[in-house]
């Protein structure tokens, strides 16, 4: 069975064996360079007052008990900074903005390389070899069977975007344009995950090898079970003693750990590419037989969704923000649920087309709707040609909101407040189906309200993105799925290009059709 960081972890958690298979720079990534001017642009719609900093500097932090307006403003300022022009093409530095570029630049409104794109891909951060290269080295992907990969039509393997995931952590496969083309892998949604230099260098400089990372995560997992903390007596997870795994928080001019997950798909001829960030990216395929070689190609893909998770001093459980391209709900998206099994997996449902948002609380919430309108106006005022105007904040999660309840035995316990702002946070194209859209439990039972997160000395049942990433925290990898394992292959094993009627995908669809009969 082929393996991948999210899919294998999904399967492992489902069978309750998490570890058997299963992000000196400043806040904007500047290293000793000048910091560009910060320009505050206030919303003037009369409902709220959002200040958007069109700057390469990441916002430092947000209060522990931040209001929804503070959270959505923080998320938008993060999004703008991370989509700043990268300096790599001039100085060879990754995770570093070009401070000479201005957002209002009429000659370069949509830079060809953005700061977040230069983050380390999961196969760089946890390479199959176990040895991390210098962070600033150009893309250097390291998969388990890489020597066996074959290029399609002379494809490059050193592009900045490597779309090595083909599904939503094993939950479902997603396609665009299903009304017109049905299940056509030309429009399959593909994903990638990356981390910033602070997260990468924490692992590189702290642990001697991959075995040491795994050992520290196992210790952390055991400590959570024993002490309800990453280590005995801990009151924070920003700094941990040797032998425990905890990603860094923002401090001393550093951004703290940041992870980015992005969703991409090809556009149909009828779609307007000027409304999307588009990139020539790597993708993976395999013909029908397991013995056939893994192939990789290059093609133009459009960015349709982006997750940003960041660990800060005030938010040890990460601030989680998620954005979408504004047209995704109108682009005939459709999914088929799936499971992982010993024989490689199986599709388990019919195609669900034009599906609704499954979140039990409205998304985007009213505060995000207001911020989105204000941000779009501010972006256009800065640069009417910027493609960022076509992206919207779906929601953002900060510190878990908890409450004390008294059980039938009279004993008090602290639980998560499932009515809190953005509790069921999910992205339309990254957590599309009901399993992830309503997540509030475990991977084995997504809606069971099972314990999945440690917060302030209490084990609680988180919801949405935070509850999902909390499952990784409970396994000892501090909310980070890509930290949990190494030596993964790309997701090629249920796909075939370019025809949807051949290969393994069709095999699984045929199996389901036979069951239905």
């Amino acid at each position: 069975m082929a393996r991948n960081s999210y899919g294998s972890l999904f399967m492992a958690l489902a069978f309750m064996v998490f570890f058997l298979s299963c992000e000196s720079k400043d806040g904007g990534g500047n290293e000793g360079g000048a910091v560009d001017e910060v320009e505050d642009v206030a919303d003037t719609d009369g409902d709220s007052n959002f200040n958007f900093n069109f700057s390469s500097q990441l916002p430092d932090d947000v209060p522990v008990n931040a209001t929804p307006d503070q959270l959505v403003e923080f998320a938008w300022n993060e999004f703008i900074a991370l989509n700043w022009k990268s300096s790599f093409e001039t100085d060879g530095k990754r995770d570093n903005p070009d401070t000479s570029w201005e957002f209002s630049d009429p000659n370069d409104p949509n830079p060809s390389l953005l700061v977040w794109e230069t983050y380390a891909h999961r196969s760089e951060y946890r390479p199959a070899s176990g040895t991390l290269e210098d962070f600033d080295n150009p893309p250097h992907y390291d998969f388990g069977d890489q020597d066996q990969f074959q290029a399609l039509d002379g494809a490059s393997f050193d592009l900045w975007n490597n779309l090595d995931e083909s599904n939503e952590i094993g939950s479902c496969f997603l396609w665009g344009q299903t009304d017109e083309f049905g299940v056509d892998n030309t429009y399959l949604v593909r994903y990638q995950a990356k981390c910033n230099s602070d997260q990468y260098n924490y692992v590189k400089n702290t642990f001697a090898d991959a075995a040491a990372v795994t050992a520290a995560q196992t210790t952390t997992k055991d400590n959570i079970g024993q002490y309800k903390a990453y280590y005995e007596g801990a009151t924070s997870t920003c700094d941990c003693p040797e032998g425990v795994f905890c990603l860094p928080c923002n401090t001393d001019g550093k951004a703290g750990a940041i992870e980015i997950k992005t969703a991409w798909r090809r556009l149909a001829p009828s779609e307007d590419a000027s409304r999307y960030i588009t990139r020539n990216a790597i993708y993976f395929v395999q013909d029908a037989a397991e013995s056939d070689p893994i192939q990789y190609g290059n093609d133009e893909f459009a960015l349709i969704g982006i997750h940003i998770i960041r660990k800060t001093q005030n938010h040890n459980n990460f601030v989680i923000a998620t954005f979408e391209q504004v047209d995704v709900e109108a682009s005939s998206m459709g999914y088929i649920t799936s499971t992982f099994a010993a024989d490689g997996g199986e599709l388990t449902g019919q195609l669900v087309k034009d599906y609704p948002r499954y979140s039990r609380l409205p998304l985007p919430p009213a505060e995000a709707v207001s911020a989105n309108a204000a941000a779009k106006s501010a972006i256009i005022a800065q640069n009417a040609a910027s493609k960022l105007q076509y992206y919207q904040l779906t929601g953002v999660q900060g510190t878990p909101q908890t409450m004390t309840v008294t059980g039938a035995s009279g004993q008090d316990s602290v639980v998560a407040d499932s009515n809190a702002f953005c509790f069921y946070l999910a992205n339309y194209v990254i957590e599309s189906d009901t399993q992830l859209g309503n997540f509030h439990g475990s991977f084995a039972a997504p809606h069971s309200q099972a314990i999945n997160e440690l917060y302030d000395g209490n084990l609680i049942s988180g919801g949405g993105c935070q509850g999902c990433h909390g499952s990784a925290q409970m396994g000892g990898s501090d909310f980070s799925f890509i930290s949990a394992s190494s030596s993964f292959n790309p997701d090629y094993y249920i796909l075939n290009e370019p025809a949807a009627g051949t290969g393994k995908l069709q095999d699984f669809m045929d199996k389901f059709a036979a069951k239905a009969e």
Side-chain angles (χ1 to χ4, degrees), residues 324-333 354-355 357 392 428:
E324 300 163 5
Q325 200 278 341
V326 297
D327 300 325
V328 293
E329 286 193 69
S331 58
S332 304
M333 305 302 296
D354 302 325
Y355 53 90
R357 289 186 186 271
Q392 66 179 359
Y428 192 74

Side-chain angles (χ1 to χ4, degrees), residues 4 35 37 75 173 198 217 371 451 460:
N4 66 85
V35 176
E37 294 291 329
F173 290 80
D198 286 347
Q217 291 174 348
I451 295 299
I460 61 175

Side-chain angles (χ1 to χ4, degrees), residues 25 35 37 39 103 142 237 276 312 316 384 415 422 442 463 489:
K25 299 184 179 181
V35 176
E37 294 291 329
E39 181 170 357
F103 194 93
D142 185 355
T237 66
Y276 296 81
T312 72
N316 291 187
V415 301
C422 287
S442 68
N489 283 320

Side-chain angles (χ1 to χ4, degrees), residues 155-177:
S156 170
F157 202 63
D158 59 5
L159 303 181
W160 284 105
N161 292 287
N162 186 337
L163 313 185
D164 61 323
E165 300 177 51
S166 64
N167 59 75
E168 297 184 0
I169 61 172
S171 176
C172 75
F173 290 80
L174 180 67
W175 296 264
Q177 296 295 323

